[in-house]
Amino acid sequence: MATTGQHTEALGRVRDELARVLVGQRSFVDRLLVGLLTGGHVLIEGVPGLAKTLAARTLASTIDARFQRVQFTPDLLPADLIGTEVYHPKTGEFSIREGPIFTQLLLADEINRAPAKVQSALLEAMQERQVTIGPETRSLPKPFFVMATQNPIEHEGTYPLPEAQVDRFLLKILVDYPDRADERIILDRMASTAPETNVDAVMSPETIFELRRAVDEVHLDEKIREYVLDIIATTRPGNPRAENESSLDLGPWLELGASPRASVALVLAAKAWALLDGRDYVVPHDVKEIAPDVLRHRLLLSFEAEAEEMTVDRLLQRLLEDLPVP
């Protein structure tokens, strides 16, 4: 059985390979790996041109996984995503033609442009790892990892993602502009009619399952468990802790707090973060580092918060700064 050091070394090779193509995106890459290591899906938000699609394609090549990209549009049909039944006149029988969702790494590009029926079909796939085509239910390949992107500045022709679907994403990752030094490197590498974007496969999909078992073995102290529960409880309106600690009272700002699914997601993500950092135990920093990505899409601001131009990320920053750390 591989040791924590060997797991960290394997993940380091993946990071190094991705860094050959993705410049200055270490935080983004690590969060993608957290999703992959926990079996969760990730929602990526960022303006066009920040290498979100390139990151997905490069990650698939690095772990030697099958990759499909689907451009979500308002006229997309569920059959375009999951497949459909095909009738054969000569035999009088139907057969299943599988759609692009039958892959290991799916990039759902501009996911919020798809209508409700497509979102429902994707929701079943994300949660159950299976799809239903006509009378038949088929399992999806393993591992099955969805990376969905959305543009934060365009709203025309988009559909709000259902709360149930948003909650199925383990993380919501915000991708920002690179700094000047990194952008200079990007210019040197990519300002070409044929930029070099090939990477070597340094990990197999089978290894992902071994790493997931290693995540399960990462130790979580009882005090860290209580810390996670304190974070989640503080996001809920009517939280009894807030009655005694006014500085932690987020009730007026939040209409909806985090669910038990968020608690589970935060623990899993913190364990994966610890493994990425080369440890087989979780420290409070792991929880604080990944908590915003786990929670930002699970909290619903109140009307008062929106009127005061409060943001979820500012609230989470306040929570993590004020809440006592074990």
Side-chain angles (χ1 to χ4, degrees):
M1 185 175 179
T3 64
T4 301
Q6 290 172 319
H7 293 315
T8 304
E9 184 181 345
L11 290 168
R13 288 195 294 270
V14 174
R15 281 168 158 167
D16 292 343
E17 203 64 24
L18 290 170
R20 289 175 51 193
V21 175
L22 303 172
V23 179
Q25 297 281 20
R26 176 63 178 266
S27 175
F28 177 32
V29 165
D30 283 352
R31 281 156 173 78
L32 292 182
L33 292 176
V34 166
L36 195 63
L37 291 174
T38 57
H41 309 290
V42 298
L43 179 62
I44 307 164
E45 186 174 288
V47 299
L50 295 181
K52 300 184 295 295
T53 301
L54 179 62
R57 191 182 304 275
T58 306
L59 178 60
S61 298
T62 304
I63 63 173
D64 198 22
R66 282 178 283 166
F67 173 79
Q68 289 282 358
R69 174 181 177 270
V70 178
Q71 182 66 49
F72 280 44
T73 58
D75 60 350
L76 192 72
L77 298 174
D80 298 327
L81 178 66
I82 66 174
T84 187
E85 290 184 295
V86 178
Y87 178 70
H88 301 280
K90 290 184 178 181
T91 62
E93 297 178 346
F94 287 90
S95 65
I96 300 294
R97 178 179 294 167
E98 295 181 346
I101 203 169
F102 286 87
T103 188
Q104 291 173 310
L105 198 158
L106 175 71
L107 176 62
D109 217 353
E110 294 189 282
I111 187 174
N112 54 333
R113 290 193 177 278
K117 286 186 177 181
V118 177
Q119 301 290 0
S120 179
L122 182 60
L123 175 60
E124 179 190 9
M126 290 170 58
Q127 182 66 18
E128 308 296 337
R129 264 66 174 185
Q130 64 182 30
V131 296
T132 302
I133 305 174
E136 189 174 338
T137 298
R138 290 196 174 186
S139 297
L140 292 168
K142 297 179 181 180
F144 177 66
F145 181 42
V146 175
M147 294 173 55
T149 71
Q150 64 180 18
N151 185 335
I153 59 174
E154 281 193 84
H155 299 287
E156 188 173 343
T158 64
Y159 299 82
L161 296 181
E163 294 296 333
Q165 181 167 5
V166 171
D167 198 39
R168 260 58 175 195
F169 286 102
L170 179 87
L171 307 175
K172 181 179 180 181
I173 307 170
L174 304 183
V175 185
D176 205 353
Y177 295 106
D179 61 31
R180 187 180 182 90
D182 287 334
E183 192 157 0
R184 172 58 192 267
I185 298 173
I186 293 171
L187 282 177
D188 293 341
R189 289 188 185 181
M190 306 300 288
S192 166
T193 56
E196 178 59 49
T197 59
N198 293 326
V199 293
D200 297 326
V202 295
M203 182 182 291
S204 68
E206 291 74 20
T207 307
I208 299 298
F209 295 105
E210 183 179 341
L211 290 168
R212 288 179 181 177
R213 288 191 291 271
V215 168
D216 289 336
E217 296 298 320
V218 172
H219 176 68
L220 188 73
D221 188 82
E222 189 63 29
K223 291 181 180 180
I224 304 292
R225 294 179 192 271
E226 292 298 321
Y227 181 51
V228 168
L229 293 174
D230 285 344
I231 291 173
I232 300 300
T234 307
T235 69
R236 295 173 181 168
N239 162 38
R241 287 183 58 90
E243 296 176 4
N244 300 319
E245 301 178 54
S246 58
S247 65
L248 296 176
D249 185 8
L250 303 184
W253 305 103
L254 292 172
E255 189 72 28
L256 182 68
S259 69
R261 183 181 283 124
S263 305
V264 174
L266 184 51
V267 165
L268 282 173
K271 285 185 171 185
W273 195 263
L275 189 66
L276 280 170
D277 205 32
R279 287 177 282 104
D280 60 358
Y281 57 91
V282 176
V283 297
H285 173 76
D286 300 322
V287 178
K288 294 183 71 170
E289 185 69 25
I290 203 66
D293 303 276
V294 173
L295 297 177
R296 66 166 53 97
H297 56 300
R298 292 182 160 97
L299 306 181
L300 184 63
L301 292 176
S302 65
F303 176 78
E304 181 179 347
E306 293 179 352
E308 295 289 334
E309 298 185 349
M310 178 62 74
T311 66
V312 169
D313 280 277
R314 282 169 59 192
L315 277 180
L316 288 171
Q317 182 181 3
R318 173 185 167 186
L319 186 162
L320 295 170
E321 287 177 353
D322 290 355
L323 195 66
V325 177

